[in-house]
Amino acid sequence: EVQLLESGGGSVQPGGSLRLSCTTSGFTFNIYAMSWVRQAPGRGLEWVSGISAIDGRTYYTDSVKGRFIVSRDNSRNTLFLQMNTLRAEDRAIYYCAKMKWAQWLADFDYWGQGTLVTVSS
Amino acid sequence: DIQMTQSPSSLSASVGDRVTITCRASQSIRTYLNWYQQKPGKAPKLLIYAASSLQSGVPSRFSGSGSGTDFTLTISSLQPEDFATYYCQQSYSTPPTFGGGATVGIK
């Protein structure tokens, strides 16, 4: 059974940092691209960042470029999102999502339950 | 970025109804279109990928069609567990973008 479990969310002041983790099981982690997708309270889905399994190339939505860093540790089957210089508009539930293929880009075929990030003074 | 526009944004329907949701892309995305279902407080779930392929385990009452810029998600006979919000998403180019969602409520 494919499982993705996010952790690391919480409350932080504007300008602060958080590191999200997504621990996975039930599939061969190192052969699938992975992404982070967020959802602000009461709003729709927004893709944030992703990483290819083939070459480790990373991708970001414009609003987080230069502030967020996505990475993966294939030995630990874990995806990370380092979030720096957080802003109020980054407040959202952050979902880890497995992508259907190794290469970039594809649909998101499995999702974690999400972790809430709150940015407030 | 490719803009995805869904319509309607909400609808009311009864159990057994046939429900259709449309999604339009701002440029051709061939068949790189996916549909997700999200229930309150839950993560999204993939229903349809590549415009018309049914994800494993998804009931056959769900179907997708379209290519280019216009796509449709159809629920042939609405069931109580289908009341949810549905999102389309393009996987043609980066950034992958989602439609605004269509909420199916109980009439």
PDB file of all heavy atoms in Angstrom, chain B residues 48 54-55 57-64 74-77:
ATOM      1  N   ILE B  48      -9.000  10.439 -12.942  1.00  0.00           N
ATOM      2  CA  ILE B  48      -8.786  10.270 -14.376  1.00  0.00           C
ATOM      3  C   ILE B  48      -7.449  10.893 -14.734  1.00  0.00           C
ATOM      4  O   ILE B  48      -7.144  12.005 -14.277  1.00  0.00           O
ATOM      5  CB  ILE B  48      -9.880  10.987 -15.197  1.00  0.00           C
ATOM      6  CG1 ILE B  48     -11.280  10.475 -14.846  1.00  0.00           C
ATOM      7  CG2 ILE B  48      -9.593  10.885 -16.697  1.00  0.00           C
ATOM      8  CD1 ILE B  48     -11.639   9.133 -15.426  1.00  0.00           C
ATOM      9  N   LEU B  54      -8.968   5.797 -16.654  1.00  0.00           N
ATOM     10  CA  LEU B  54      -9.483   5.657 -15.300  1.00  0.00           C
ATOM     11  C   LEU B  54      -8.379   5.150 -14.382  1.00  0.00           C
ATOM     12  O   LEU B  54      -7.758   4.112 -14.650  1.00  0.00           O
ATOM     13  CB  LEU B  54     -10.667   4.685 -15.308  1.00  0.00           C
ATOM     14  CG  LEU B  54     -11.571   4.636 -14.089  1.00  0.00           C
ATOM     15  CD1 LEU B  54     -12.338   5.946 -13.929  1.00  0.00           C
ATOM     16  CD2 LEU B  54     -12.541   3.458 -14.203  1.00  0.00           C
ATOM     17  N   GLN B  55      -8.127   5.880 -13.298  1.00  0.00           N
ATOM     18  CA  GLN B  55      -7.140   5.437 -12.327  1.00  0.00           C
ATOM     19  C   GLN B  55      -7.615   4.132 -11.686  1.00  0.00           C
ATOM     20  O   GLN B  55      -8.818   3.930 -11.460  1.00  0.00           O
ATOM     21  CB  GLN B  55      -6.918   6.517 -11.268  1.00  0.00           C
ATOM     22  CG  GLN B  55      -6.026   6.149 -10.100  1.00  0.00           C
ATOM     23  CD  GLN B  55      -4.555   5.990 -10.465  1.00  0.00           C
ATOM     24  OE1 GLN B  55      -4.164   6.066 -11.630  1.00  0.00           O
ATOM     25  NE2 GLN B  55      -3.720   5.790  -9.455  1.00  0.00           N
ATOM     26  N   GLY B  57      -8.901   1.403  -9.367  1.00  0.00           N
ATOM     27  CA  GLY B  57      -9.741   1.441  -8.179  1.00  0.00           C
ATOM     28  C   GLY B  57     -10.871   2.452  -8.227  1.00  0.00           C
ATOM     29  O   GLY B  57     -11.728   2.463  -7.334  1.00  0.00           O
ATOM     30  N   VAL B  58     -10.893   3.276  -9.256  1.00  0.00           N
ATOM     31  CA  VAL B  58     -11.945   4.296  -9.370  1.00  0.00           C
ATOM     32  C   VAL B  58     -13.166   3.685 -10.069  1.00  0.00           C
ATOM     33  O   VAL B  58     -13.014   3.008 -11.091  1.00  0.00           O
ATOM     34  CB  VAL B  58     -11.429   5.514 -10.153  1.00  0.00           C
ATOM     35  CG1 VAL B  58     -12.548   6.525 -10.413  1.00  0.00           C
ATOM     36  CG2 VAL B  58     -10.288   6.183  -9.375  1.00  0.00           C
ATOM     37  N   PRO B  59     -14.358   3.910  -9.534  1.00  0.00           N
ATOM     38  CA  PRO B  59     -15.556   3.310 -10.138  1.00  0.00           C
ATOM     39  C   PRO B  59     -15.767   3.735 -11.592  1.00  0.00           C
ATOM     40  O   PRO B  59     -15.458   4.875 -11.971  1.00  0.00           O
ATOM     41  CB  PRO B  59     -16.689   3.839  -9.246  1.00  0.00           C
ATOM     42  CG  PRO B  59     -16.046   4.160  -7.948  1.00  0.00           C
ATOM     43  CD  PRO B  59     -14.670   4.637  -8.287  1.00  0.00           C
ATOM     44  N   SER B  60     -16.318   2.839 -12.366  1.00  0.00           N
ATOM     45  CA  SER B  60     -16.484   3.073 -13.802  1.00  0.00           C
ATOM     46  C   SER B  60     -17.558   4.115 -14.117  1.00  0.00           C
ATOM     47  O   SER B  60     -17.714   4.498 -15.273  1.00  0.00           O
ATOM     48  CB  SER B  60     -16.807   1.768 -14.518  1.00  0.00           C
ATOM     49  OG  SER B  60     -17.995   1.203 -13.988  1.00  0.00           O
ATOM     50  N   ARG B  61     -18.303   4.578 -13.126  1.00  0.00           N
ATOM     51  CA  ARG B  61     -19.273   5.653 -13.390  1.00  0.00           C
ATOM     52  C   ARG B  61     -18.578   6.982 -13.683  1.00  0.00           C
ATOM     53  O   ARG B  61     -19.197   7.915 -14.189  1.00  0.00           O
ATOM     54  CB  ARG B  61     -20.255   5.815 -12.223  1.00  0.00           C
ATOM     55  CG  ARG B  61     -19.642   6.233 -10.909  1.00  0.00           C
ATOM     56  CD  ARG B  61     -20.716   6.349  -9.825  1.00  0.00           C
ATOM     57  NE  ARG B  61     -20.162   6.720  -8.524  1.00  0.00           N
ATOM     58  CZ  ARG B  61     -19.706   5.847  -7.644  1.00  0.00           C
ATOM     59  NH1 ARG B  61     -19.731   4.550  -7.921  1.00  0.00           N
ATOM     60  NH2 ARG B  61     -19.210   6.265  -6.478  1.00  0.00           N
ATOM     61  N   PHE B  62     -17.292   7.054 -13.353  1.00  0.00           N
ATOM     62  CA  PHE B  62     -16.509   8.240 -13.690  1.00  0.00           C
ATOM     63  C   PHE B  62     -15.874   8.057 -15.069  1.00  0.00           C
ATOM     64  O   PHE B  62     -15.305   7.004 -15.364  1.00  0.00           O
ATOM     65  CB  PHE B  62     -15.398   8.478 -12.662  1.00  0.00           C
ATOM     66  CG  PHE B  62     -15.897   8.893 -11.311  1.00  0.00           C
ATOM     67  CD1 PHE B  62     -16.131   7.949 -10.336  1.00  0.00           C
ATOM     68  CD2 PHE B  62     -16.133  10.228 -11.021  1.00  0.00           C
ATOM     69  CE1 PHE B  62     -16.597   8.323  -9.078  1.00  0.00           C
ATOM     70  CE2 PHE B  62     -16.588  10.620  -9.776  1.00  0.00           C
ATOM     71  CZ  PHE B  62     -16.828   9.658  -8.797  1.00  0.00           C
ATOM     72  N   SER B  63     -15.964   9.073 -15.890  1.00  0.00           N
ATOM     73  CA  SER B  63     -15.307   9.026 -17.191  1.00  0.00           C
ATOM     74  C   SER B  63     -14.849  10.414 -17.586  1.00  0.00           C
ATOM     75  O   SER B  63     -15.396  11.425 -17.128  1.00  0.00           O
ATOM     76  CB  SER B  63     -16.231   8.448 -18.265  1.00  0.00           C
ATOM     77  OG  SER B  63     -17.351   9.286 -18.452  1.00  0.00           O
ATOM     78  N   GLY B  64     -13.826  10.457 -18.425  1.00  0.00           N
ATOM     79  CA  GLY B  64     -13.295  11.718 -18.902  1.00  0.00           C
ATOM     80  C   GLY B  64     -13.152  11.709 -20.405  1.00  0.00           C
ATOM     81  O   GLY B  64     -12.968  10.652 -21.015  1.00  0.00           O
ATOM     82  N   THR B  74     -17.448  13.265 -16.457  1.00  0.00           N
ATOM     83  CA  THR B  74     -18.836  12.840 -16.339  1.00  0.00           C
ATOM     84  C   THR B  74     -18.962  11.786 -15.257  1.00  0.00           C
ATOM     85  O   THR B  74     -18.165  10.855 -15.181  1.00  0.00           O
ATOM     86  CB  THR B  74     -19.361  12.273 -17.673  1.00  0.00           C
ATOM     87  OG1 THR B  74     -19.283  13.291 -18.679  1.00  0.00           O
ATOM     88  CG2 THR B  74     -20.809  11.820 -17.537  1.00  0.00           C
ATOM     89  N   ILE B  75     -19.970  11.975 -14.409  1.00  0.00           N
ATOM     90  CA  ILE B  75     -20.375  10.954 -13.444  1.00  0.00           C
ATOM     91  C   ILE B  75     -21.712  10.440 -13.947  1.00  0.00           C
ATOM     92  O   ILE B  75     -22.693  11.193 -13.983  1.00  0.00           O
ATOM     93  CB  ILE B  75     -20.495  11.516 -12.021  1.00  0.00           C
ATOM     94  CG1 ILE B  75     -19.228  12.283 -11.636  1.00  0.00           C
ATOM     95  CG2 ILE B  75     -20.751  10.390 -11.024  1.00  0.00           C
ATOM     96  CD1 ILE B  75     -19.335  13.046 -10.318  1.00  0.00           C
ATOM     97  N   SER B  76     -21.763   9.187 -14.340  1.00  0.00           N
ATOM     98  CA  SER B  76     -22.948   8.683 -15.060  1.00  0.00           C
ATOM     99  C   SER B  76     -24.171   8.556 -14.165  1.00  0.00           C
ATOM    100  O   SER B  76     -25.298   8.784 -14.615  1.00  0.00           O
ATOM    101  CB  SER B  76     -22.639   7.336 -15.713  1.00  0.00           C
ATOM    102  OG  SER B  76     -22.277   6.385 -14.725  1.00  0.00           O
ATOM    103  N   SER B  77     -23.974   8.198 -12.909  1.00  0.00           N
ATOM    104  CA  SER B  77     -25.074   8.058 -11.963  1.00  0.00           C
ATOM    105  C   SER B  77     -24.532   8.417 -10.583  1.00  0.00           C
ATOM    106  O   SER B  77     -23.857   7.605  -9.948  1.00  0.00           O
ATOM    107  CB  SER B  77     -25.624   6.620 -11.983  1.00  0.00           C
ATOM    108  OG  SER B  77     -26.654   6.482 -11.022  1.00  0.00           O
TER     109      SER B  77
END
